[in-house]
């Protein structure tokens, strides 16, 4: 008998009535329908069932008298319902005897149609219970399923997460990629013993329990097992479980080991709760809220440091991400996309820095990477990491994601200020969508000009009157002297380049510049005249939907 927990076991679980309604006509019921379901248990003939309050027992392979025995045993163990194979015409498939046994025992009975495989039925049931968990009944496994799916997306593999007893806690969708071993493990919710024996013989678990080594496990065709990679989930020297990635037909992605390392670190905090029977449903949202508070400055950082497992004197680098999705008006879809991006960023960030935190704010996603003040990461290393991550996000989300390495906060209290730098940097970076990543250092000049233009915009009395005359002349005569002069100044007087950009003859450009200078009363030999002209001309170009920056 194998337990497959899918949520809490209290009275807040998904009811049998809701489960039956959601699964549709292939599921047939007898008996009470309003009892809550807290977990799913796989049972085979001869299994001993005990202490299963609120469970749904899937009687795999039980027919005839065996099915009646499982029904009785499940009821005695406190289970809420039993599912048996319903195949009319075959002995024991929702026969009057099985129904009568269920009614006498006071347990609900589910019939699984002959056309539905047990693994599909279990997956459908899990999906319904997960949706119920999203309504407020979730435990930590919902987060593990999400993590498994994210790892599968990033590695191109088939993922499962097991506890230290080799029980399958969560797994990704596999389609037709799952091998026979995977199917048996998911159906039974545990790895088959013959394969476990091979893993022990090869020393796989011994290696996975020490450090963060990703162990490559060769294929075993005679057991229906393709090549796999596994990493241990460990905390404080205690093995808590493993993350498995089975190779599919496309082969595994190049950064699979890095992704698995990040996933194992993220899973560790959830499995700590599982090990000590804590309340992960409260702990994980709490950690997410505290990380958001650290990012926005809502809480005292010193008080948060110990709770988040960060040294109180640590510095922290902030990297800001924007999906650059078009405004669709569908706020729910955009929230879902950002949540998916945050999950991918979390996996990569945890691989890069064990104590990494990820939070959403201002429609963007921010990674906070705490580090010892004595040995901060180089800006170049962080930029390369961000470039790899943005490439992964663009590939998987199909949006022109951009990122800004905002810099390092010397203290945790300084994170909100650095976050704001990242936010402003993303605003400036938006004018060059072909750039994936920039550092705040590289954007400093652009940010400085932007701030000066903002100041000028708020003080309309600060203007050069000659440039106002030039702008009015363009409006009245349909000429482009303002634009031509600005591009000429931006190009340090490179007439050939600007003329090509404007698609005019170089002599035409020279004429425009001379006339513009004369109308505005400028002296281009005077650096202050040039600065004033560049600033005001940029400001005058700004119209709704445009940028004051050339090329914006």
């Amino acid at each position: 008998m194998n337990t497959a927990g899918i949520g809490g076991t209290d009275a807040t679980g998904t009811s049998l009535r809701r489960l039956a309604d959601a699964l549709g006509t292939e599921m047939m019921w007898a008996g009470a329908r309003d009892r809550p379901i807290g977990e799913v248990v796989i049972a085979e003939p001869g299994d001993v069932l005990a202490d299963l309050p609120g469970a749904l027992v899937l009687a795999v392979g039980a027919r005839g008298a065996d099915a009646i025995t499982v029904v009785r045993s499940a009821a005695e163990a406190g289970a809420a319902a039993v599912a048996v194979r319903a195949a009319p015409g075959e002995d024991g498939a929702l026969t009057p005897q099985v129904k009568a046994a269920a009614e006498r025992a006071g347990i609900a009975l589910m019939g699984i149609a002959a056309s539905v495989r047990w693994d599909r039925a279990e997956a459908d049931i899990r999906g319904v219970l997960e949706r119920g968990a999203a309504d407020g009944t979730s435990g930590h496994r919902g987060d593990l399923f999400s993590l498994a799916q994210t790892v599968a997306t990033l590695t191109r593999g088939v993922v499962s997460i097991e506890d230290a007893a080799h029980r399958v806690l969560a797994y990704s969708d596999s389609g037709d990629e799952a091998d026979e071993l995977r199917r048996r493990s998911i159906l039974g919710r545990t790895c088959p013993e013959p394969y476990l024996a091979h893993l022990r013989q090869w020393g796989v678990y011994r290696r996975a329990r020490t450090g963060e080594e990703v162990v490559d496990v060769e294929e075993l065709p005679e057991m229906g097992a393709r090549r796999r990679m596994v990493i241990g989930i460990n905390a404080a020297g205690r093995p808590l479980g493993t993350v498995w990635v089975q190779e599919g037909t496309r082969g595994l992605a190049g950064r699979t080991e890095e992704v698995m390392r990040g996933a194992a670190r993220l899973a560790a905090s959830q499995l700590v709760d599982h090990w000590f029977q804590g309340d992960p449903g409260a702990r994980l949202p709490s950690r997410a809220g505290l990380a958001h508070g650290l990012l926005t400055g809502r809480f005292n950082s010193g008080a948060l440091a110990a709770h988040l497992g960060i040294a109180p004197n640590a510095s922290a680098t902030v990297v800001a991400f924007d999906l650059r999705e078009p405004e669709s008006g569908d706020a729910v879809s955009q929230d879902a996309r950002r949540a998916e991006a945050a999950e991918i960023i979390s996996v990569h960030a945890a691989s890069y820095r064990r104590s990494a935190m990820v939070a959403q704010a201002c429609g963007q996603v921010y990674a906070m990477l705490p580090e010892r003040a004595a040995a901060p990461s180089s800006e170049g290393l962080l930029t390369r990491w961000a470039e790899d991550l943005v490439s992964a996000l663009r590939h998987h989300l199909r949006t022109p994601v951009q990122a800004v390495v905002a810099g390092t906060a010397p203290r945790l209290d300084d994170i909100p200020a650095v976050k704001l730098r990242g936010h402003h940097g993303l605003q400036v970076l938006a004018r060059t969508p072909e750039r994936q990543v920039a550092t705040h250092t590289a954007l400093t000049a652009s940010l400085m000009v932007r701030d000066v233009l903002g100041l000028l915009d708020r003080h309309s009395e600060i203007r050069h009157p000659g440039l106002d005359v030039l702008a009015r002349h363009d409006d009245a005569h349909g000429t482009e002297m303002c634009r031509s002069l600005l591009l000429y100044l931006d190009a340090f007087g490179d007439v050939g380049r600007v003329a090509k950009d404007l698609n005019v003859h170089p002599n035409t450009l020279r004429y425009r510049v001379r006339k513009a200078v004369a109308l505005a009363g400028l002296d281009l030999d005077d650096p202050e005249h040039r600065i004033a002209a560049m600033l005001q001309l940029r400001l005058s170009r700004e119209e709704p939907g445009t940028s004051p920056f050339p090329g914006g």
Side-chain angles (χ1 to χ4, degrees):
M1 186 269 292
N2 302 309
T3 301
I6 313 280
T9 56
D10 57 22
T12 62
T14 300
S15 71
L16 293 176
R17 180 179 299 276
R18 178 177 177 181
L19 185 59
D21 291 343
L23 291 173
T25 58
E26 291 182 327
M27 309 299 173
M28 294 160 279
W29 285 81
R33 293 172 48 141
D34 291 322
R35 294 185 62 185
I37 293 294
E39 62 178 346
V40 174
V41 171
I42 308 294
E44 297 178 346
D47 284 345
V48 177
L49 306 181
D51 193 22
L52 299 174
L56 169 60
V57 177
L58 305 187
V60 177
R63 297 180 180 276
D66 286 338
I68 293 174
T69 300
V70 173
V71 167
R72 291 171 178 166
S73 298
E76 291 172 359
V82 178
V84 299
R85 175 66 69 193
E90 294 186 24
D91 184 31
L94 281 188
T95 62
Q97 293 88 345
V98 175
K99 291 182 179 179
E103 290 173 357
R104 285 194 299 270
I107 190 170
L109 187 64
M110 171 190 284
I112 306 296
S115 60
V116 179
R117 291 179 2 191
W118 278 110
D119 57 348
R120 180 198 151 186
E122 191 273 340
D124 288 345
I125 292 166
R126 177 179 66 78
V128 174
L129 293 181
E130 283 185 352
R131 289 193 291 274
D135 294 335
T137 65
S138 67
H140 74 287
R141 293 175 180 84
D143 297 285
L144 286 178
F145 275 106
S146 176
L147 178 61
Q149 192 60 50
T150 298
V151 174
T153 298
L154 296 174
T155 63
R156 299 199 302 260
V158 181
V159 178
S160 61
I161 300 175
E162 299 179 2
D163 66 11
H166 316 304
R167 291 186 295 252
V168 179
L169 298 175
Y171 51 89
S172 65
D173 295 335
S174 58
D176 297 328
E177 293 286 293
D179 61 15
E180 180 60 26
L181 177 65
R182 154 83 174 198
R183 286 189 286 270
R184 291 170 59 195
S185 297
I186 296 303
L187 180 60
R189 296 305 284 236
T190 191
C191 185
E193 180 56 38
Y195 190 71
L196 285 174
H198 277 279
L199 296 178
R200 296 188 191 102
Q201 180 182 350
W202 294 338
V204 171
Y205 283 109
R206 174 182 53 78
R207 293 166 64 186
R209 290 190 183 102
T210 58
E212 293 184 310
E213 179 185 3
V214 177
V215 183
D216 201 324
V217 182
E218 64 186 46
E219 65 177 343
L220 206 58
E222 62 269 27
M223 288 191 177
R226 295 178 184 168
R227 174 193 173 218
R228 281 163 163 70
M229 300 183 80
V230 60
I231 186 172
I233 304 170
N234 306 302
R238 185 189 299 275
L240 301 177
T242 47
V243 177
W244 290 86
V245 178
Q246 174 220 301
E247 187 174 54
T249 56
R250 296 181 297 165
L252 297 177
R255 294 186 173 273
T256 292
E257 291 192 22
E258 177 184 331
V259 170
M260 292 180 67
R261 193 167 294 112
R265 291 175 177 178
L266 290 176
S269 62
Q270 299 178 49
L271 293 189
V272 164
D273 285 312
H274 175 60
W275 183 277
F276 292 106
Q277 299 297 304
D279 183 6
R283 181 177 185 268
L284 290 176
S286 172
R287 181 177 176 86
L290 292 175
H292 184 271
L294 191 61
L295 179 69
T296 58
R298 286 170 38 229
F299 301 135
N300 177 270
S301 62
L304 294 179
H307 188 88
L308 293 170
I310 304 169
N313 63 340
S315 59
T317 298
V318 178
V319 184
F321 299 85
D322 195 306
L323 301 190
R324 302 301 190 205
E325 287 194 299
E327 292 294 335
S328 64
D330 186 350
V332 174
S333 296
Q334 290 178 342
D335 287 346
R337 298 279 284 174
R338 276 195 295 271
E340 183 180 3
E343 186 91 29
I344 293 173
I345 293 169
S346 294
V347 170
H348 281 264
S351 175
Y352 183 76
R353 188 70 43 75
R354 179 181 294 276
S355 55
M357 297 168 291
V358 174
Q360 299 182 48
C362 306
Q364 295 154 344
V365 184
Y366 294 84
M368 293 167 281
L369 308 172
E371 53 190 80
R372 295 286 181 181
S377 297
S378 70
E379 190 171 75
L381 185 62
L382 284 164
T383 301
R384 288 192 294 275
W385 173 78
E387 288 171 345
D388 290 339
L389 179 47
V390 167
S391 294
L393 290 166
R394 287 189 171 197
H395 173 74
H396 294 293
L397 300 179
R398 303 299 179 186
T399 61
V401 183
Q402 291 183 301
V404 169
V405 179
T408 300
R411 302 175 307 158
L412 298 182
D413 281 333
D414 299 320
I415 286 179
V418 179
K419 176 261 180 188
L420 189 61
R421 284 162 47 179
H423 179 70
H424 289 160
L426 285 170
Q427 291 178 330
V428 170
L429 193 60
R431 65 188 175 98
T432 51
E434 69 279 3
R435 297 176 67 185
Q436 293 191 13
V437 178
T439 66
H440 182 268
T441 302
L443 296 173
T444 298
S446 297
L447 287 165
M448 180 178 176
V449 171
R450 191 192 75 148
D451 290 345
V452 172
L453 291 174
L455 181 64
L456 284 175
D457 190 44
R458 292 191 296 272
H459 292 273
S460 58
E461 72 278 9
I462 306 177
R463 294 291 186 273
H464 189 294
L467 292 169
D468 286 338
V469 170
L470 189 61
R472 289 195 295 269
H473 183 277
D474 274 350
D475 290 340
H477 298 87
T479 54
E480 289 192 318
M481 285 191 289
C482 284
R483 182 182 179 219
S484 299
L485 178 57
L486 178 56
L487 293 178
Y488 174 82
L489 292 171
D490 285 342
F492 293 99
D494 188 337
V495 172
R497 192 178 88 189
V498 177
K500 184 177 180 180
D501 291 342
L502 291 172
N503 196 27
V504 298
H505 193 276
N507 288 337
T508 301
L509 176 63
R510 293 187 181 95
Y511 169 77
R512 286 183 185 177
V513 171
R514 287 196 301 269
K515 187 171 181 180
V517 168
L519 281 172
L522 295 172
D523 178 6
L524 295 190
D525 291 330
D526 188 326
E528 292 183 350
H529 279 230
R530 294 197 301 271
I531 292 174
M534 293 176 74
L535 289 173
Q536 188 166 326
L537 288 172
R538 288 192 183 198
L539 190 63
S540 66
R541 287 187 61 205
E542 188 170 13
E543 300 171 356
T546 67
S547 165
F549 298 95

